[in-house]
Structure formats: C-alpha cells, structure tokens
Amino acid sequence: MREAFVDTATRFLDDPRTTIVLADISAAAFDPAAARYPDRVVNVGIREQLMIGVAGGLALTGQRPIVHSYAPFLVERAYEQIKLDLDHQGVGAVLVSVGASYDRAAAGRTHLSPADVSLIDTLHDWTVHVPGHPDEVPELLRRAVCGQGSAYLRLSTQANTRAQVGDGELVVVRDAGPGAALLVAVGPVLDAALAAVADRPVTVAYTHRPRPFDTVGLRALAGAEVILVEPYLAGTSARVVSEALTDRPHRLLTLGVGRADLRRYGSPEDHERWHGLDPDGLRRSLDAFLRSAG
C-alpha cells in the first residue's frame, strides 16, 4: 500500500496546488519527486507537530497538502495541531498514515496506533478511508486529494487477497439470505471475516470508507443482529451504527483491537491473534454472540 501511495502521490505533484509534507518517514521514497519539485516536497525532519502546522499554513494559501507519517506520529502525537491548525481553521488536508494498529509491532508501543480513527472521529466532517488492498489505494487517494475538506487515508501491510470496487458504500460480498445476521468488515479484515463465517448464516458487507459511514446501505441490509469488525479500536463505529438503527430493535457486536495494553512485541499476526481478529478468534466471538440470541 505504501508503494501505491508514493507512486500516486508523486503524480499529483504535476498539479502546482499539491505539496507533500513529510517528517522523515518515507522521505527516501520521495527523493525522485523532491528532485523534480524541490519546493513542493517538504521534509520538516522529526517534527510531527510542525508537519501539521506547515500543512495548515499551506492549506490557508490554497494548497492541497498531502501529509504522511506513521499513524501514531501523524495522528496521536500531532492531534492538537490537527485540531487547531486544520479543523479549527476550517482548512483541508489529506493525512496518509502507515503502520496501522500494529504493523510495526516489533518496534514496540511507540509504533502502535489502534486509536487513530477514534481520534479523527472527534473532529468535524472528516472522511476516513481504510483500504483493504493496495489496488484500492490510488483511487481512494485521488478522491481524497480532489475532494473538499480533510481526509485520513490509513494504509496497512495487512491486505485482503482481492481488491473491492465502490466509493465507500457497503458492498455485499456474501449473501446469506433474508433474516441473516449482518457482518460489516472494514478494510483489510475482510478475508478473516469471510473465513470466520464460511459455514455460518451470516451476510458479509465490506467498506473501505468508514467515515462517512454508509448508513443508508446499513439500514437496507441490517436485520436484528449486526456485527462490526474494524482493524482498529473495537467499537469505533458503534456510535454511528447505533444511531443509524436507533428506531429498530437490534443487537450489536463490535470487534476490533482491544483497549488493554498487552505490553508485548511479537508480529502483526501475533497481535491479530491476541486481539481475536484472526479467523478462529472472530469465529469464537461470532458463535457466542449468535448463540446468545436464542
């Protein structure tokens, strides 16, 4: 996904309104672009708060900045600047992260960011894209850069085997028929979710745009039981789903990264298993939820 992002973002530099703002992360990958556009590939060094401040200033001049770093540095470390220099000023930028919840688990807690989407969700009217495959990245980045307002594009090393089309609306990838429970999978957790329900009566819908959430599609698909599987903090989209279905009796199960600090290194696959986001873990949670309905 990072390679797809670098290639696509570099092409946007042909538009003089675009500037890429970095804080050392991926700087080498953008060296060819910086050689061509030295004034519009800006590396501020390891100063993430400054990176957002620079982006806010550029946006005030009419630029469309693309800002990039690891998720915990881009969102958590610079959250105050995002809140003030972008959101409060009413200007837009495109934030693109790598690392996701635990892609760099071997680097320790400093590189883990399961709460990034929840933080962005406290801001006003942001679009959030969570691609599930590298082939989804170019179009999602194009929509973000060519759009209005602010957008967050969350890249990961985790990916589904196939890209999905669509502009973020819920797309049914497994139809279990009328009355079946609905599972909504966000981004790169789709394959694990499909494996978990392979022989269960569960409809699976996919989205790579959790904000704004496709509430119209949700209402069209949802029955009495909804399962939400997100690759970041569990329950991040619970509020949106509950509000969309407030006039209907329903049960909601939210699955994602747990809130406990595991204080472990390990691999991304280890963390996926520890948080119950591998197929076996998802299946256990789903089966317990569906059994409790009776």
Side-chain angles (χ1 to χ4, degrees):
M1 290 191 192
R2 189 184 333 205
E3 292 175 358
F5 158 64
V6 171
D7 291 344
T8 306
T10 296
R11 291 197 293 272
F12 276 113
L13 289 171
D14 292 336
D15 184 338
R17 295 171 297 177
T18 304
T19 297
I20 296 171
V21 188
L22 308 170
D24 269 3
I25 301 301
S26 301
F30 281 105
D31 278 347
R36 290 177 58 195
Y37 302 100
D39 295 332
R40 289 193 289 112
V41 178
V42 180
N43 182 7
V44 302
I46 309 174
R47 300 174 179 86
E48 289 83 5
Q49 293 95 337
L50 174 62
M51 175 177 64
I52 298 298
V54 167
L58 289 168
L60 284 169
T61 71
Q63 284 274 307
R64 186 66 167 163
I66 301 173
V67 192
H68 171 65
S69 187
Y70 269 88
F73 311 150
L74 178 64
V75 178
E76 294 178 326
R77 186 172 296 174
Y79 174 74
E80 184 177 14
Q81 283 68 40
I82 295 172
K83 180 179 70 174
L84 298 178
D85 297 346
L86 294 176
D87 213 50
H88 184 62
Q89 294 291 343
V91 293
V94 179
L95 276 54
V96 182
S97 73
V98 291
S101 293
Y102 39 68
D103 286 355
R104 283 291 305 277
R109 187 65 177 90
T110 57
H111 284 65
L112 308 185
S113 187
D116 56 342
V117 176
S118 290
L119 280 172
I120 292 295
D121 205 27
T122 66
L123 304 172
H124 176 67
D125 204 24
W126 278 61
T127 298
V128 177
H129 298 292
V130 183
H133 189 279
D135 290 348
E136 296 173 12
V137 173
E139 177 60 18
L140 294 181
L141 181 62
R142 185 195 67 79
R143 290 176 186 168
V145 174
C146 297
Q148 302 294 320
S150 287
Y152 178 47
L153 179 61
R154 188 187 207 251
L155 309 182
S156 177
T157 59
Q158 182 184 5
N160 303 314
T161 53
R162 294 170 53 185
Q164 301 290 327
V165 298
D167 64 2
E169 76 278 6
L170 292 180
V171 176
V172 175
V173 294
R174 182 179 191 267
D175 188 349
L182 172 68
L183 185 153
V184 177
V186 178
V189 298
L190 175 61
D191 279 4
L194 286 171
V197 303
D199 56 355
R200 270 67 170 174
V202 177
T203 292
V204 177
Y206 172 80
T207 184
H208 45 49
R209 193 204 63 205
R211 295 296 183 278
F213 199 94
D214 178 15
T215 55
V216 173
L218 177 70
R219 288 181 60 83
L221 295 171
E225 295 161 336
V226 179
I227 302 109
L228 184 62
V229 184
E230 300 178 278
Y232 33 80
L233 196 65
T236 295
S237 295
R239 169 187 60 83
V240 179
V241 172
S242 294
E243 289 176 358
L245 302 176
T246 188
D247 60 331
R248 301 184 186 179
H250 67 279
R251 300 169 65 240
L252 174 62
L253 172 66
T254 59
L255 302 175
V257 180
R259 293 179 179 270
D261 187 343
L262 301 180
R263 297 183 174 89
R264 299 179 184 178
Y265 287 85
S267 66
E269 293 75 19
D270 290 328
H271 283 259
E272 184 180 67
R273 186 176 68 257
W274 293 334
H275 288 287
L277 290 174
D278 62 319
D280 288 343
L282 291 175
R283 190 178 300 113
R284 287 192 297 271
S285 296
L286 290 167
D287 285 350
F289 176 70
L290 295 176
R291 281 196 305 268
S292 69

